[in-house]
Amino acid sequence: MASEQDVRARLQRAGQEHLLRFWAELAPEPRAALLAELALLEPEALREHCRRAAEACARPHGPPPDLAARLRPLPPERVGRASRSDPETRRRWEEEGFRQISLNKVAVLLLAGGQGTRLGVTYPKGMYRVGLPSRKTLYQLQAERIRRVEQLAGERHGTRCTVPWYVMTSEFTLGPTAEFFREHNFFHLDPANVVMFEQRLLPAVTFDGKVILERKDKVAMAPDGNGGLYCALEDQKILEDMERRGVEFVHVYCVDNILVRLADPVFIGFCVLQGADCGAKVVEKAYPEEPVGVVCQVDGVPQVVEYSEISPETAQLRASDGSLLYNAGNICNHFFTRGFLKAVTREFEPLLKPHVAVKKVPYVDEEGNLVKPLKPNGIKMEKFVFDVFRFAKNFAALEVLREEEFSPLKNAEPADRDSPRTARQALLTQHYRWALRAGARFLDAHGAWLPELPSLPPNGDPPAICEISPLVSYSGEGLEVYLQGREFQSPLILDEDQARELQLQES
């Protein structure tokens, strides 16, 4: 272990000597913990991190003055549209995706380093229940979609196949996530195919470039953003693990989207047939000012431009068909080849520029009292997973329907947007649509048929509660055998047992 004298000298070189100002008050054990933490911080890298954070925070915010002239929509030939393509094209994409899955060439990678702070919980967001009748968590829904897509690919190609699940956590989420998976028997996935790894942490910094102490014996640290993925892949030898398994294509997604289709064969197949080394799912923006990043080109290079960087005038621009010119909303749902990820980790990662996140960071004041600030007081530097798009040789984007594939969980109740209520409604409404499409009819409490509404309200409960297990249907397929011509009263919970029972009744 580094000595106090060594650590003091290193901090002096970094301009951060204040981190030992409570040294005399600490007992031996906290002293040892603090020294161990500080010894991991390289002086030159720490000094540069603090300098860049303060400089970035001091720069004026808002759209760069020349950005509008450099923006262009993605070229039409690099964009597919899942809902508007002809059935034969979509079938080819899906069949190619299932073929790659059946060959064990596809993995999924979950970005799960953040905590559920905005949701008002202290545990990882994937452990959250949004109030479904089944009481399933986000993690369980995702695990069951993996199991189902493995089953579908295996049945089509007469083989057994595996979609490995890589889970990027942080110091804050690794322990609870690993324990949760063990408690739930890895949701009946083989534990050898669930690989958890940690991303790096970076010190939080004051506006004048000083590292923040969150306790007398602990530095305030934060995950380095979902773009920390690329350092973590290298640190934890994840790409080597993928190579050993024969994985060539990786579907990367965020934990909080309740509708996410893991290893989506349509998306995988689209990207493979396009020859893409990097791809993104997008949804059409709901309105010009919607606070989502836009996938577009800047200086001819694919990029995600944050909504705060696009001027209102540019956001309002329309294409010749009347749609928004910049309407490809980013939903943190990406495709990468393993070869591209290898190039990023070895060549391009140092070129990624960190983004400034101004946050409320608890700290100890000069008297050693814990302070929970009421307004932002610190800087967390983050990289974004999409920052690597500009290094792609063949970028492609697939537009999907928001109501089928995107409903994020970010805010606590009673928020109007992206809350447990809206996520629950999105999933149950989707399942209600699937049931109607499969020929089911629903009855009210008096036995009268509920009307088949041509369109359902975007933010409201469906006329009947219907939840379909991902183990029964991945994306609405195969439900006719259980539901066609049948009448149900709400709620209908179609899990594997109920599906078997309905099948027996039919036979």
Side-chain angles (χ1 to χ4, degrees):
M1 181 189 293
S3 69
E4 175 200 347
Q5 186 176 358
D6 289 340
V7 170
R8 281 192 187 277
R10 290 158 65 92
L11 291 177
Q12 191 169 16
R13 281 159 53 199
Q16 303 293 327
E17 307 95 307
H18 67 285
L19 295 175
L20 287 175
R21 68 186 186 272
F22 298 109
W23 182 260
E25 303 176 28
L26 298 178
E29 193 171 328
R31 281 186 175 187
L34 181 58
L35 283 183
E37 183 175 53
L38 295 175
L40 297 175
L41 304 176
E42 290 293 331
E44 288 72 24
L46 180 59
R47 185 175 65 244
E48 181 65 10
H49 169 71
C50 294
R51 183 190 66 78
R52 290 173 71 176
E55 281 186 2
C57 189
R59 282 197 294 268
H61 299 289
D66 61 340
L67 180 62
R70 300 159 55 206
L71 278 182
R72 295 291 183 275
L74 291 173
E77 65 272 15
R78 304 308 297 170
V79 180
R81 289 179 167 82
S83 64
R84 302 183 211 175
S85 298
D86 62 89
E88 177 57 24
T89 297
R90 185 183 168 92
R91 187 202 63 75
R92 281 195 304 108
W93 294 343
E94 184 178 58
E95 184 51 47
E96 177 63 19
F98 276 128
R99 189 176 77 84
Q100 298 294 345
I101 293 168
S102 75
L103 294 171
N104 297 308
K105 290 188 175 183
V106 177
V108 291
L109 196 155
L110 165 60
L111 304 172
Q115 295 167 288
T117 311
R118 280 169 61 184
L119 272 175
V121 297
T122 57
Y123 50 81
K125 206 183 283 188
M127 293 162 56
Y128 195 88
R129 292 185 175 94
V130 300
L132 296 173
S134 66
R135 303 191 76 246
K136 289 178 182 178
T137 61
L138 296 181
Y139 281 149
Q140 183 171 353
L141 291 170
Q142 292 167 20
E144 291 180 354
R145 287 176 190 144
I146 291 175
R147 291 172 58 193
R148 177 64 177 170
V149 82
E150 289 175 339
Q151 178 190 358
L152 290 172
E155 287 173 353
R156 284 188 179 221
H157 292 274
T159 185
R160 290 191 64 179
C161 54
T162 297
V163 176
W165 194 7
Y166 295 90
V167 183
M168 186 177 80
T169 64
S170 68
E171 177 185 283
F172 307 111
T173 61
L174 176 58
T177 298
E179 183 180 357
F180 191 75
F181 273 63
R182 285 192 296 269
E183 287 175 353
H184 291 84
N185 194 27
F186 287 79
F187 307 104
H188 302 286
L189 291 167
D190 183 345
N193 297 324
V194 180
V195 180
M196 298 187 190
F197 62 103
E198 276 188 74
Q199 68 184 111
R200 294 180 182 179
L201 298 177
L202 292 173
V205 180
T206 62
F207 298 144
D208 58 354
K210 294 296 183 184
V211 173
I212 296 172
L213 275 178
E214 69 175 36
R215 295 196 314 256
K216 292 179 182 181
D217 62 342
K218 182 160 179 56
V219 173
M221 304 288 282
D224 53 354
N226 56 29
L229 167 67
Y230 308 110
C231 281
L233 290 176
E234 182 72 11
D235 292 345
Q236 310 292 333
K237 308 299 182 193
I238 298 301
L239 293 180
E240 288 85 342
D241 185 86
M242 291 180 180
E243 186 174 13
R244 282 194 298 272
R245 296 171 185 266
V247 169
E248 297 293 339
F249 310 110
V250 186
H251 178 209
V252 176
Y253 70 100
C254 254
V255 69
D256 59 9
N257 178 10
I258 198 169
L259 300 182
V260 65
R261 295 182 180 178
L262 289 84
D264 177 14
V266 174
F267 184 40
I268 300 296
F270 164 75
C271 290
V272 170
L273 292 175
Q274 281 276 351
D277 53 354
C278 173
K281 275 191 183 183
V282 298
V283 296
E284 190 173 353
K285 285 182 70 174
Y287 52 93
E289 304 82 16
E290 184 181 12
V292 294
V294 172
V295 183
C296 58
Q297 289 189 331
V298 180
D299 299 328
V301 174
Q303 201 165 312
V304 174
V305 178
E306 288 297 290
Y307 65 91
S308 58
E309 297 176 334
I310 297 179
S311 69
E313 296 77 18
T314 302
Q316 296 278 355
L317 292 174
R318 299 276 171 177
S320 57
D321 63 359
S323 64
L324 290 173
L325 187 63
Y326 298 104
N327 71 343
N330 177 49
I331 60 173
C332 196
N333 195 317
H334 309 312
F335 166 95
F336 300 112
T337 64
R338 182 171 54 81
F340 177 74
L341 291 174
K342 186 174 179 179
V344 169
T345 60
R346 303 214 171 158
E347 299 176 47
F348 303 127
E349 199 286 329
L351 304 178
L352 301 180
K353 294 181 179 177
H355 304 260
V356 172
V358 179
K359 303 280 190 177
K360 290 182 282 190
V361 183
Y363 66 98
V364 287
D365 63 18
E366 291 307 313
E367 286 72 46
N369 301 308
L370 176 63
V371 179
K372 294 188 176 180
L374 299 177
K375 60 181 182 179
N377 65 310
I379 305 162
K380 295 181 180 180
M381 298 294 278
E382 301 174 331
K383 293 178 181 177
F384 296 155
V385 67
F386 54 70
D387 286 338
V388 300
F389 287 3
R390 61 194 174 101
F391 305 120
K393 292 178 181 175
N394 292 296
F395 181 83
L398 181 66
E399 182 186 282
V400 297
L401 291 175
R402 181 186 299 249
E403 60 267 29
E404 287 293 336
E405 298 204 36
F406 184 56
S407 182
L409 174 64
K410 297 185 181 298
N411 305 313
E413 302 289 13
D416 291 332
R417 292 171 46 87
D418 304 341
S419 68
R421 175 184 57 81
T422 60
R424 179 178 66 252
Q425 289 171 341
L427 187 72
L428 295 179
T429 299
Q430 177 190 65
H431 291 184
Y432 180 73
R433 285 195 306 269
W434 290 357
L436 292 183
R437 203 156 55 226
R441 294 298 302 265
F442 287 89
L443 308 175
D444 65 16
H446 306 290
W449 280 0
L450 288 168
E452 293 188 21
L453 302 177
S455 63
L456 297 169
N459 292 309
D461 291 317
I465 300 299
C466 172
E467 184 185 351
I468 298 169
S469 168
L471 298 171
V472 174
S473 184
Y474 175 84
S475 59
E477 81 290 334
L479 293 173
E480 292 80 4
V481 68
Y482 312 117
L483 304 181
Q484 192 166 44
R486 294 177 180 270
E487 297 177 346
F488 301 93
Q489 282 195 315
S490 177
L492 168 63
I493 315 300
L494 187 59
D495 57 18
E496 285 185 293
D497 291 339
Q498 173 76 344
R500 275 192 291 268
E501 187 177 324
L502 289 170
Q503 215 166 4
L504 286 172
Q505 290 174 11
E506 185 68 23
S507 58

